[in-house]
């Protein structure tokens, strides 16, 4: 066998990424196996040691340099995102802008959030000086999604790096080019820290290899089913696991709400990015007297949208063509259960490109036009499962209390929104919702606030990214005590007389009974 033959035999397999909008190939990437993943983690381990040894000010300067490089390359990054996901370039650019905001916040606030601090010792330990420090974990494995291939994983990557860790990133096999470009930009901006961010590409097997490698924590975004599989791999080595697994997000509209504002927000929250937004809008509960006018306003706005392969489309095709089948199933079962189709229906989801582009309901390839449903049975998959497509269900309720009960009945608990004339009343409703993030009189308002943590519970996963909680999520708290003086009665020594110990117990009991 010649050297050329040997090289071909050992060269990793590759896979081709195609544009969801055109079907054209947009990139070819290697399939990294367990050995390549292990080497990436080993390089990251070396990089992590040097990175953690830097002062917080130096790490901040390096990350801000990377942020500026990302901002300078905004067009190239947005074009890569748009090519791989099929979303309009304007949406892709907005995703980059939000990413820059979060990276900027993480870099500038990591020292304040994570620096060591003194804590009160309390009476029994009065002789101890107590402090708390947050130490980097080491190497973080990040497994990212395809719907927001930059913004979502950077909620873990940027915060993990700011906290002093190195990262090995496995992007979705549908959007690997975005992850590769992200690592290249960091390498060019901070060349003295090679291996600080490494992107490994491949299918689910590559993600499994990363979860089973020597990383110190795994941050995952994806479906609950895949999260369970990844978590099972992490469980073998007790590797900590952070999961963001989507949502079935509800919007509550009160009788006195601004219905024009609510309709505008519902349409955008339900249909932007072709409905492929984990914290968007899938269910709407509106007090009965406002139900008909809200439905009318939503339909008017949704019908006017242009979707599909046209220059001014507000959203493009489904990134994963198979997702259109999920949308179809949800719509069909909802209608079979008695729901009303206010715009679109299952049978009109296969019309021509021209029909889709005109704003009518239909599918151009995997481009699904808006579907608005009403009176959907609460046990229908359209109300219980994540649709992840441009479908919104609007149901009437008798009261806000009923709306809250229905919103909270979902196994998902990621995001929600409330529309109410009285902002304080809206905030009070928000406080009753089980969702991890709630916006009042807007949708996804929290996404652009880097200081706010993001995450959910139940089928939506656990753990938090973003904000101070997101920084601390990638550290290990260490408690330290330093004895300042020998206590009058040493309760941690066998040499302390029993009588002295008894007096100390009596004094403590008296204090706690009378304080």
């Amino acid at each position: 066998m010649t050297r050329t033959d040997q090289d071909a035999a050992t060269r990793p397999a590759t896979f081709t990424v195609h544009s969801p909008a055109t079907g054209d190939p947009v990139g070819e990437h290697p399939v990294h196996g367990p050995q390549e993943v292990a080497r990436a983690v080993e390089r990251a381990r070396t990089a992590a040691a040097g990175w953690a040894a830097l002062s917080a000010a130096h790490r901040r300067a390096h990350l801000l340099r990377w942020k500026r490089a990302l901002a300078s390359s905004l067009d190239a990054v947005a074009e890569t995102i748009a090519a791989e996901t099929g979303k309009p370039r304007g949406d892709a650019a907005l995703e980059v802008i939000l990413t820059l905001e979060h990276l900027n916040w993480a870099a500038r606030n990591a020292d304040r959030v994570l620096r060591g601090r003194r804590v009160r010792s309390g009476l029994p330990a009065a002789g101890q000086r107590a402090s708390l420090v947050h130490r980097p974990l080491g190497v973080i494995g990040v497994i990212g999604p395809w719907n927001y291939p930059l913004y979502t994983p950077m909620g873990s990557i940027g915060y993990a790096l700011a906290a002093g860790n190195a990262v090995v990133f496995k992007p979705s096999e549908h959007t690997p080019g975005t992850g590769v470009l992200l690592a290249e930009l960091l390498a060019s901006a901070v060349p003295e820290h090679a291996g600080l961010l490494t992107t490994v590409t491949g299918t689910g097997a590559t993600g499994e290899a990363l979860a089973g490698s020597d990383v110190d924590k795994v941050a995952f975004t994806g479906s609950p089913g895949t999260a369970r599989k990844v978590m099972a791999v992490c469980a073998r080595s007790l590797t900590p696991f952070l999961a963001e697994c989507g949502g079935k997000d509800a919007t509550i509209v009160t009788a006195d709400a601004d219905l024009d504002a609510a309709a505008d927000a519902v349409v955008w929250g339900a249909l932007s990015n072709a409905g492929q937004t984990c914290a968007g809008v899938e269910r709407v509960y509106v007090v009965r007297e406002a139900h008909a006018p809200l439905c009318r306003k939503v339909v008017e706005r949704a019908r006017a949208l242009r979707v599909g392969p046209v220059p001014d489309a507000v959203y493009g095709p489904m990134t994963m063509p198979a997702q259109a089948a999920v949308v179809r199933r949800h719509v069909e079962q909802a209608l079979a259960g008695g729901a009303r189709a206010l715009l679109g229906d299952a049978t009109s989801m296969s019309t021509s490109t021209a029909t889709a582009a005109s704003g009518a309901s239909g599918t151009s390839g995997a481009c699904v036009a808006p579907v608005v449903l009403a009176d959907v049975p609460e046990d229908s998959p359209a109300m219980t499962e994540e649709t992840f497509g441009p479908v919104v269900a609007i149901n009437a309720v008798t009261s806000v209390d009923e709306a809250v009960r229905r919103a909270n009945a979902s196994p998902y608990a990621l995001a929600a929104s409330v529309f109410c004339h009285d902002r304080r009343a809206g905030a009070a409703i928000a406080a009753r919702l089980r969702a991890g993030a709630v916006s009042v009189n807007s949708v996804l308002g929290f996404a652009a606030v880097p200081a706010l943590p993001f995450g959910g519970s139940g089928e939506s996963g656990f753990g938090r990214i973003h904000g101070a909680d997101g920084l601390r999520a990638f550290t290990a708290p260490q408690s330290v005590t330093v004895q300042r003086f020998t206590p009058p009665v040493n309760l941690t020594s066998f040499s302390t007389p029993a009588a002295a110990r008894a007096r100390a117990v009596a004094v403590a009991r008296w204090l706690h009974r009378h304080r």
Side-chain angles (χ1 to χ4, degrees), residues 353-375:
T353 298
T355 302
S358 71
S361 296
T363 302
S364 174
C367 187
V368 180
V371 177
V372 181
L373 303 174
D375 306 330

Side-chain angles (χ1 to χ4, degrees), residues 141-346:
V142 176
I143 301 176
W146 47 262
N147 59 328
Y148 292 95
L150 182 71
Y151 169 75
T152 297
M154 275 293 284
S156 297
I157 295 170
Y159 287 77
L161 291 171
N165 304 279
V167 175
V168 178
F169 174 38
K170 192 275 174 188
S172 166
E173 57 267 36
H174 298 283
T175 56
T178 302
V180 170
L181 181 55
L182 186 64
E184 289 175 349
L185 287 171
L186 177 59
S188 63
V190 191
E192 59 269 45
H193 291 278
L196 188 59
L197 171 61
T198 301
T199 295
V200 293
T201 56
T203 59
T206 304
E208 181 179 357
L210 180 58
S213 68
D214 189 33
V215 293
D216 299 289
K217 186 169 188 174
V218 172
F220 167 87
T221 303
S223 70
T226 304
R228 290 180 173 90
K229 295 177 182 178
V230 176
M231 187 163 57
V233 175
C234 291
R236 299 171 192 166
S237 55
L238 293 181
T239 299
F241 182 66
L242 185 156
E244 194 270 276
C245 304
K248 191 67 183 176
D249 311 295
T251 294
I252 293 176
V253 182
T254 65
D256 66 347
D258 182 336
L259 297 186
D260 285 313
D264 187 66
V266 165
V267 169
W268 186 87
L271 306 181
S272 62
N273 199 32
Q276 301 167 126
T277 302
C278 60
V281 176
E282 294 206 6
R283 301 176 293 153
V284 180
Y285 296 113
V286 52
V287 174
R288 189 170 302 280
E289 50 263 46
H291 182 256
L294 178 69
C295 288
R296 184 172 60 253
K297 293 174 183 293
V298 168
V299 168
E300 289 172 355
R301 286 165 171 78
R303 180 179 283 120
L305 299 178
R306 290 173 60 81
V307 303
V310 292
D312 58 347
V314 296
Y315 67 78
M318 311 294 287
T319 301
M320 292 178 60
Q323 192 64 27
V326 176
V327 175
R328 179 186 297 275
R329 175 173 63 85
H330 283 194
V331 173
E332 287 177 341
Q333 294 187 10
L335 295 176
R340 294 184 294 127
L342 304 181
L343 179 66
D345 56 42

Side-chain angles (χ1 to χ4, degrees), residues 4 57 63 92 160 164 303 370 394 397 402 497:
T4 301
L63 291 176
R303 180 179 283 120
I394 308 176
V397 292
E402 182 184 355

Side-chain angles (χ1 to χ4, degrees), residues 404-466:
V404 170
R405 285 196 302 272
R406 291 194 184 189
N408 286 341
S410 173
Y412 293 92
L414 184 61
S417 53
V418 177
F419 285 84
C420 182
H421 175 72
D422 186 329
R423 291 191 296 270
R424 287 181 296 181
I429 296 170
R432 299 169 60 189
L433 295 173
R434 202 164 55 88
V438 185
S439 293
V440 176
N441 290 336
S442 71
V443 294
L444 286 164
F446 44 79
V449 184
L452 286 175
F454 179 73
S457 58
E459 290 290 295
S460 292
F462 49 84
R464 294 295 185 269
I465 58 174
H466 301 169

